[in-house]
Amino acid sequence: MSTTSPQSPHHVLETLDLRVDGQRLWEALMTLAKIGATPKGGNCRLALTEEDRAGRELVTGWLEAAGLTLRVDQIGNIFARRAGRNNALPPIATGSHIDTQPTGGKFDGCYGVLAGLEVMRVLQERGIETEAPLEVVIWTNEEGSRFVPVMMGSGVHAGLIPLEKALAATDRDGDSVAASLERTGYAGDVPVGSHEFGAYFEAHIEQGPVLEQEAITIGAVTGSLGLHWFDVVVSGQEAHAGPTPMPYRRDALKTACALVSDILTLADDYQPNGRVTCGEFNVHPNSRNVIPGQVRFSVDLRHLEPPVLAEMHARLKALCLKHHAANQSDKQRVEVELIEVQHIPPTPFAPALIEMVRSASRHLGLSFRDMETGAGHDAVQIAGINPVAMIFVPCEDGISHNESENAEPEDLEDGANVLLLAMLERAGVVANPQEAAQ
Ligand SMILES: [Zn+2]
């Protein structure tokens, strides 16, 4: 190696025509998908099951063959490191998760991990050395399907979930995270949260319809929407459906329906980033010939900007009050109560890293746009402690958490190339590309 000054990754790309191998990436995805394959073409690799263990063995074997060194922390997060020239620098990391929903797809999470693997394979092949070390991370139990809370491994790493609480979580059969880590051989000894990242990039399928609808290849994710969860309880009085004339009913469902149709217009003034969803309903007593005495339903509000989310909350309160006050004659009295369930503030990502995603896309001639993530990701947890950016690629019909989840090989390849360039730009490239090519 004769050149010691870091070079622009775009220069390396021009000199070496450095690109990931899209075919190899696709084959890795399809090979991993054979473990826990479901009849409809999806995947079932619940966190820390035998299938998840087998998936981890497969992928860590690939990572080691690409020259990376493995470490496992106390919650089973796997950190695969590729040494840099200056190993005192914090690593430039990427990754995601390989556990799935019970009827999950082949790409959610797996793409982020295997895109990271593909970047490492290309760098190894081409003899590219980076200034900072690089890391590929497999986070434990992102999906939260077998064990709650979700995004467990990254949450513990980021200090958001206490290790003891995570280890004590049990599945429906009473099996704990601690026991499952022991059984699968992933009860590591590296203390959780023991190292920082210089940056963390996560590639992921969009899990929504925007990129596909707009025929855009890359989403440069600027942050995650904040969410505010509520329960609304509408209380009237049960009565017989036959003998009770309409003017004498305290029908909780009648009020709930009017209220819900008002609530569902609540995001209209805050487009494109406002979201409102009423996804869960409980009608009591839920009987054909009884006037509903109580309706309990959920409200999920989301927006990227805290003041707007607060305004949506204020409007929700006002709507509940309006429908509460509208029914105060004794004969028809129905009460409305708003209960706060959970509040997660919006999480902005790191502007400098977002710009690296944009500039890599620009350099590769790919169409791109800024967007927010409405779903939770490991990256959102890490954003609280280290600089983070995400790279979204389109997924078919915006469908995920579904066996039919699908993505185009070309889009996955393009996203991995953006990841490659962004990581190189952030880590700094040392090796002389012409020498390395010979
Ligand atoms: Zn995911």
Side-chain angles (χ1 to χ4, degrees):
M1 190 190 324
S2 58
T3 310
T4 52
S5 62
Q7 297 176 21
S8 142
H10 299 170
H11 172 77
V12 173
L13 186 90
E14 276 151 27
T15 318
L16 258 186
D17 196 23
L18 192 62
R19 292 282 198 283
V20 302
D21 183 335
Q23 180 66 27
R24 184 168 58 189
L25 169 60
W26 182 259
E27 279 165 15
L29 282 159
M30 294 307 116
T31 304
L32 176 57
K34 286 180 187 156
I35 300 173
T38 56
K40 289 183 193 159
N43 267 208
C44 177
R45 276 193 313 279
L46 299 181
L48 304 178
T49 55
E50 173 53 29
E51 290 75 25
D52 191 27
R53 186 200 63 77
R56 285 168 162 241
E57 296 295 299
L58 177 70
V59 176
T60 53
W62 286 336
L63 289 164
E64 283 186 299
L68 281 74
T69 309
L70 304 179
R71 295 192 312 152
V72 181
D73 74 8
Q74 294 159 302
I75 193 66
N77 293 321
I78 302 168
F79 302 90
R81 183 174 295 213
R82 183 176 196 269
R85 184 178 67 164
N86 182 355
N87 292 303
L89 291 172
I92 304 309
T94 188
S96 195
H97 59 95
I98 61 168
D99 67 311
T100 74
Q101 292 287 331
T103 52
K106 303 191 223 24
F107 304 95
D108 176 2
C110 303
Y111 172 56
V113 172
L114 297 179
L117 166 70
E118 177 54 34
V119 166
M120 300 304 145
R121 285 174 161 175
V122 170
L123 296 181
Q124 183 191 38
E125 249 172 21
R126 308 302 287 264
I128 306 288
E129 188 184 18
T130 54
E131 183 71 13
L134 304 178
E135 233 168 55
V136 178
V137 189
I138 302 174
W139 301 107
T140 298
N141 184 34
E142 191 272 351
E143 294 289 1
S145 182
R146 182 175 173 216
F147 300 110
V148 176
V150 297
M151 298 179 279
M152 180 182 276
S154 50
V156 171
H157 175 85
L160 299 167
I161 302 168
L163 174 64
E164 299 68 35
K165 184 185 169 192
L167 290 173
T170 53
D171 68 7
R172 279 190 205 104
D173 302 326
D175 195 7
S176 71
V177 167
S180 301
L181 283 168
E182 287 294 342
R183 196 178 316 115
T184 53
Y186 283 96
D189 51 10
V190 175
V192 292
S194 62
H195 74 293
E196 302 274 320
F197 302 134
Y200 176 79
F201 293 96
E202 183 169 336
H204 209 284
I205 55 169
E206 182 199 341
Q207 302 180 279
V210 175
L211 293 174
E212 186 184 62
Q213 288 292 320
E214 297 186 2
I216 289 173
T217 307
I218 300 294
V221 184
T222 55
S224 77
L225 302 182
L227 70 82
H228 212 154
W229 282 356
F230 305 88
D231 279 343
V232 177
V233 182
V234 183
S235 304
Q237 191 172 55
E238 288 108 272
H240 198 300
T244 319
M246 301 311 279
Y248 294 94
R249 292 176 175 220
R250 297 175 57 198
D251 185 339
L253 185 62
K254 187 179 175 191
T255 298
C257 286
L259 175 56
V260 165
S261 63
D262 276 355
I263 289 174
L264 289 176
T265 64
L266 220 157
D268 292 0
D269 292 337
Y270 310 107
Q271 291 306 299
N273 291 326
R275 314 260 197 278
V276 56
T277 306
C278 299
E280 191 183 334
F281 278 80
N282 288 287
V283 179
H284 179 81
N286 209 25
S287 173
R288 183 184 299 274
N289 55 359
V290 180
I291 298 160
Q294 189 177 80
V295 178
R296 191 182 184 102
F297 63 93
S298 64
V299 181
D300 172 321
L301 299 179
R302 300 188 190 215
H303 200 277
L304 187 66
E305 294 154 41
V308 181
L309 192 57
E311 196 176 312
M312 291 170 72
H313 178 200
R315 287 175 71 166
L316 172 65
K317 268 191 210 163
L319 286 175
C320 289
L321 263 178
K322 179 184 127 188
H323 285 270
H324 178 80
N327 296 290
Q328 291 309 306
S329 84
D330 262 4
K331 274 183 272 179
Q332 293 187 310
R333 184 163 45 85
V334 171
E335 279 151 15
V336 179
E337 188 188 359
L338 179 65
I339 302 164
E340 184 172 359
V341 174
Q342 197 176 4
H343 183 212
I344 300 176
T347 308
F349 291 170
L353 301 192
I354 300 163
E355 186 50 36
M356 286 175 194
V357 172
R358 294 189 198 108
S359 80
S361 306
R362 210 175 282 127
H363 182 85
L364 291 160
L366 302 172
S367 55
F368 64 96
R369 58 161 282 171
D370 284 1
M371 61 194 309
E372 297 71 35
T373 172
H377 291 289
D378 293 311
V380 178
Q381 306 280 64
I382 304 308
I385 51 167
N386 296 138
V388 158
M390 290 190 79
I391 300 159
F392 275 178
V393 296
C395 64
E396 195 174 291
D397 299 328
I399 299 290
S400 73
H401 284 192
N402 188 311
E403 289 167 276
S404 66
E405 181 182 288
N406 199 16
E408 290 299 322
E410 297 74 24
D411 293 334
L412 299 171
E413 178 178 349
D414 288 338
N417 275 319
V418 171
L419 177 67
L420 169 70
L421 278 192
M423 288 187 80
L424 288 183
E425 184 177 356
R426 186 66 184 81
V429 179
V430 180
N432 181 328
Q434 269 147 355
E435 281 192 4
Q438 284 156 13

